Amino acid sequence: MLGHNRHPVPQALFEGFEKENSPNEAIDEFKSALIVAYEQAIESGISPGLALAAMLDWVSLEVRRYTCMPGIGD
């Protein structure tokens, strides 16, 4: 359960992350693209919960892929 696990995402994912160095425009564009895709999915008849579940499924795959990269989390 997430309430008992304070770190549902491996800490390695956040190594080297500094908000000041992140390209804010690119992040804003990425968030906008996610919102558009989410709204399109809902308009296509997918329930909001299923759309969010699909996003989380993709995120879990990306987290796993990212944390398995050489030099990450060694």
Side-chain angles (χ1 to χ4, degrees):
M1 207 183 251
L2 290 179
H4 300 297
N5 184 356
R6 295 276 185 222
H7 302 287
V9 176
Q11 286 299 113
L13 183 64
F14 300 102
E15 288 177 5
F17 176 77
E18 295 179 12
K19 190 170 178 102
E20 295 79 30
N21 293 335
S22 63
N24 290 329
E25 287 181 31
I27 290 172
D28 289 343
E29 287 179 28
F30 180 69
K31 287 180 182 179
S32 293
L34 283 175
I35 291 167
V36 167
Y38 176 75
E39 290 174 351
Q40 287 176 345
I42 291 171
E43 289 174 4
S44 296
I46 297 174
S47 71
L50 189 55
L52 290 172
M55 281 188 213
L56 292 174
D57 184 48
W58 172 76
V59 167
S60 71
L61 293 172
E62 287 300 306
V63 167
R64 196 172 325 138
R65 184 174 71 122
Y66 179 77
T67 57
C68 292
M69 294 174 90
I72 304 291
D74 290 341

